[in-house]
Amino acid sequence: MKTDMTRYLPILTWGRTYNRTALSNDLVAALIVTIMLIPQSLAYALLAGLPAEAGLYASIVPIMLYAVFGTSRALAVGPVAVVSLMTAAALSNIVEQGTMGYAVAALSLAALSGAILLAMGLFRLGFIANFLSHPVIAGFITASGIIIAASQLKHILGINAEGHNLLELVVSLVTHLGETNWITAIIGILATGFLFWVRKGLKPLLKRFGLSDSLTGVFVKTGPVVVVVATTAAVWGLGLADKGVSIVGEVPQSLPPLTLPSFSPDLLWQLLLPAFLISIIGFVESISVAQTLAAKKRQRIDPDQELIGLGAANIGASLTGGFPVTGGFSRSVVNFDAGAETPAAGAFTAIGLAIAALALTPLIYFLPKATLAATIIVAVLSLVDFSILKRSWNYSKADFAAVLATILLTLVLGVEAGVSAGVGLSILLHLYKSSKPHIAEVGQVPGTEHFRNILRHDVITDPSIVTLRVDESLYFANARYLEDKIQSRVAKDKDIRHVILQCAAINEIDLSALESLEAINERLREMDVKLHLSEVKGPVMDRLKREHFLSEMTGQVFLSQFEATKALRPALTT
């Protein structure tokens, strides 16, 4: 019972050893992350098409719930760029942005996503995320980063522009370019330039003045806060809001409200696919960050429990005025670098954001939306990585095709179509590769008991024996391919009397593949050729023993390939 409790409530594990040192480190990390998250949370709410305060709300209760149920010591949960964009794309097709129905739909999307993640965790379905290959994910995130950056140019220029893909956005931006508010544009361009300089140029500058790495890191992370304070003060002091500069405006001075998602079957049905896609993308992004950071401290991440933690966080967001959340890369890295020891750092961050929601919201009334757009642009452009195209081209043309298709489909059709295509392409790519497994004809390396590919090594072969090594499990998609390979190899050589399948790499043989083996056995029998197996793994042999195949097989099953050739060669000379 105790083991089950600690599995589902990891807080019981790290909470027992919590001490004063951990408390001190967690508080310092929470302070730094809180400073970073205030402008970031506001910006991602606007990206999702929601009021700015929704970003703060989505960063409070979800972090606390993850601290209870999550297994990562450093993961910081909250709104992230890609999920925020996917939220906007999903909801804008259903309800009008800016309406009460839009906010309720966002709550419903978070609740549905949370329920999906929770169910996946309870039923240990984390492996589903493995169907998204890393190259495809990299392509999707790169394309999403470009779309997000393009979508924020309207705030930088102070114009109206709409669109859910790059083509629509570019056309809309060009159409409205003549409406540019130059004061807004100056603020947006200066803010963007300053934030890029903070990321790239401030650290080397401070190091030249002799500042330590930790102190330099703090100054770099506070860059967005500096630009928020400076531009807000400029808009307020110069009365720029009256000159057309779009501002955040009034933000409720309160803690997250208690809310309820809609239980309308029609709405939930419309949101089901977007919720599933958001859940998968969010989980993949989150688990990647969590495992990377955990490895640095030799800690363990439980993927199924992570699903439960993220599910609880999303359900919490739906009940407190938020929208879908997941573990963010930038905030988690900052949390880790700042010295966070336990998930309690996330809980302290939530407290800091709650204080900000209560006390600081009046101060952001004059915060220009161009500044928030600059924050988003600088953050997401770090996700854009076209080097994956060159790397995949050099390594695998099939992976390159999948990455390129994902990028192009996301840019042209939008994020939902892009991620759907990514899932489909990942599965198709796997099926394509496994449907034509590598099958090598092998021979004995002289002076050893090893067998290697006859095309790569100088080996000993016997004209009456053909040994084929199958480097893939056999299942319905590739069983016929094996049939054709054996048929074509044996049919063209009348001297062959034995075919040995070396099964060292075969982890499973499904029923379709078993039927193919039966067909191969019968065809070889008709050609007066015997079929043998070697190096069959225990679990595979256990399954084969349940059927009549072994008793009907014309040949034998050998423990090793060497024993097979040793037994069959003398029989040929008698």
Side-chain angles (χ1 to χ4, degrees):
M1 179 69 177
K2 186 176 181 180
T3 304
D4 288 342
M5 288 293 288
T6 54
R7 183 197 157 217
Y8 289 110
L9 294 171
I11 190 174
L12 299 177
T13 301
W14 59 263
R16 283 197 295 267
T17 59
Y18 201 68
N19 53 39
R20 190 170 295 178
T21 302
L23 173 63
S24 174
N25 291 336
D26 286 344
L27 285 172
V28 171
L31 177 62
I32 294 171
V33 175
T34 300
I35 292 171
M36 170 190 160
L37 281 190
I38 291 172
Q40 196 179 80
S41 298
L42 298 171
Y44 289 154
L46 295 180
L47 177 59
L50 292 160
E53 63 269 17
L56 290 175
Y57 298 159
S59 301
I60 297 175
V61 173
I63 300 180
M64 289 185 165
L65 287 171
Y66 180 83
V68 174
F69 294 102
T71 58
S72 172
R73 302 292 180 97
L75 192 69
V77 172
V80 300
V82 173
V83 169
S84 298
L85 178 64
M86 293 178 72
T87 298
L91 300 185
S92 60
N93 294 327
I94 300 170
V95 285
E96 185 180 348
Q97 190 171 314
T99 63
M100 182 62 71
Y102 190 93
V104 173
L107 299 176
S108 305
L109 188 61
L112 203 52
S113 179
I116 291 170
L117 289 164
L118 200 59
M120 288 173 63
L122 292 173
F123 290 102
R124 298 180 176 271
L125 299 178
F127 69 88
I128 291 177
N130 296 335
F131 286 112
L132 270 174
S133 69
H134 178 265
V136 165
I137 282 287
F140 171 72
I141 290 177
T142 291
S144 297
I146 294 171
I147 292 176
I148 291 168
S151 72
Q152 296 308 296
L153 290 177
K154 64 181 181 182
H155 295 302
I156 296 290
L157 300 174
I159 62 178
N160 292 317
E162 301 296 335
H164 299 299
N165 59 59
L166 187 61
L167 187 61
E168 292 176 355
L169 284 167
V170 169
V171 170
S172 186
L173 286 168
V174 171
T175 302
H176 294 88
L177 198 57
E179 304 167 8
T180 299
N181 182 298
W182 291 106
I183 299 175
T184 300
I186 290 169
I187 293 172
I189 292 169
L190 288 177
T192 305
F194 175 78
L195 290 173
F196 271 120
W197 176 77
V198 166
R199 284 206 169 200
K200 301 293 183 181
L202 181 59
K203 196 169 187 177
L205 180 65
L206 293 176
K207 280 191 173 182
R208 280 201 292 269
F209 283 102
L211 270 70
S212 65
D213 285 342
S214 58
L215 198 57
T216 299
V218 171
F219 279 113
V220 170
K221 299 301 184 295
T222 56
V225 178
V226 172
V227 79
V228 163
V229 172
T231 55
T232 302
V235 171
W236 171 71
L238 300 175
L240 299 181
D242 297 329
K243 298 179 181 179
V245 175
S246 181
I247 59 175
V248 170
E250 187 174 351
V251 176
Q253 194 174 354
S254 69
L255 291 173
L258 291 177
T259 55
L260 276 177
S262 170
F263 295 100
S264 165
D266 290 340
L267 177 62
L268 294 178
W269 178 254
Q270 288 177 290
L271 294 175
L272 185 59
L273 178 59
F276 177 74
L277 296 176
I278 285 172
S279 300
I280 295 296
I281 291 295
F283 174 63
V284 170
E285 180 177 351
S286 180
I287 198 70
S288 299
V289 176
Q291 288 177 334
T292 299
L293 297 179
K296 294 182 179 181
K297 290 190 175 182
R298 297 194 174 187
Q299 296 168 347
R300 178 179 173 273
I301 298 297
D302 181 350
D304 292 316
Q305 185 59 33
E306 283 299 289
L307 285 165
I308 294 174
L310 293 173
N314 275 280
I315 290 172
S318 74
L319 298 175
T320 54
F323 55 98
V325 298
T326 193
F329 176 77
S330 57
R331 70 184 68 190
S332 298
V333 171
V334 170
N335 197 36
F336 180 86
D337 291 343
E341 292 280 341
T342 72
F348 296 141
T349 299
I351 293 171
L353 291 172
I355 293 171
L358 280 172
L360 301 182
T361 49
L363 301 178
I364 62 173
Y365 182 92
F366 289 101
L367 172 61
K369 289 184 178 179
T371 301
L372 295 180
T375 303
I376 293 174
I377 289 172
V378 173
V380 299
L381 287 184
S382 65
L383 303 175
V384 175
D385 179 19
F386 285 110
S387 66
I388 189 66
L389 288 170
K390 181 180 178 182
R391 187 180 177 192
S392 60
W393 173 262
N394 292 332
Y395 188 77
S396 167
K397 300 300 185 288
D399 281 329
F400 170 80
V403 173
L404 183 62
T406 302
I407 291 175
L408 293 177
L409 287 170
T410 303
L411 291 176
V412 174
L413 300 179
V415 288
E416 281 191 28
V419 71
S420 300
V423 173
L425 285 170
S426 295
I427 296 172
L428 287 174
L429 193 59
H430 169 73
L431 291 174
Y432 173 76
K433 289 177 178 178
S434 61
S435 68
K436 293 185 177 181
H438 181 253
I439 299 176
E441 185 172 343
V442 299
Q444 185 179 356
V445 178
T448 73
E449 296 183 6
H450 299 293
F451 287 76
R452 293 292 184 269
N453 193 328
I454 64 172
L455 301 178
R456 294 176 178 268
H457 302 270
D458 292 326
V459 292
I460 301 170
T461 60
D462 190 298
S464 299
I465 301 175
V466 170
T467 297
L468 297 175
R469 188 191 68 220
V470 184
D471 296 333
E472 183 73 60
S473 291
L474 296 177
Y475 73 117
F476 64 90
N478 62 20
R480 186 60 61 86
Y481 183 75
L482 177 62
E483 287 186 48
D484 295 340
K485 277 284 185 182
I486 294 176
Q487 178 73 21
S488 62
R489 178 63 183 90
V490 175
K492 67 184 181 183
D493 194 336
K494 304 300 182 183
D495 294 330
I496 296 173
R497 290 292 174 265
H498 296 271
V499 171
I500 307 171
L501 285 184
Q502 188 179 0
C503 304
I506 297 176
N507 296 315
E508 186 175 358
I509 297 175
D510 74 0
L511 190 57
S512 296
L514 178 61
E515 291 175 354
S516 286
L517 289 177
E518 291 171 347
I520 291 168
N521 185 57
E522 287 305 312
R523 288 176 190 169
L524 292 179
R525 188 200 304 272
E526 293 170 359
M527 290 186 280
D528 196 24
V529 177
K530 291 184 178 181
L531 175 66
H532 307 271
L533 305 179
S534 72
E535 302 181 13
V536 182
K537 293 182 177 179
V540 176
M541 181 61 77
D542 291 340
R543 281 199 171 185
L544 291 178
K545 286 178 178 178
R546 298 175 194 169
E547 293 290 328
H548 50 76
F549 169 69
L550 293 178
S551 62
E552 295 180 357
M553 192 171 69
T554 53
Q556 305 173 55
V557 178
F558 294 95
L559 184 64
S560 70
Q561 183 61 32
F562 179 74
E563 286 187 8
T565 54
K566 185 180 177 182
L568 296 175
R569 275 177 186 156
L572 293 169
T573 59
T574 58

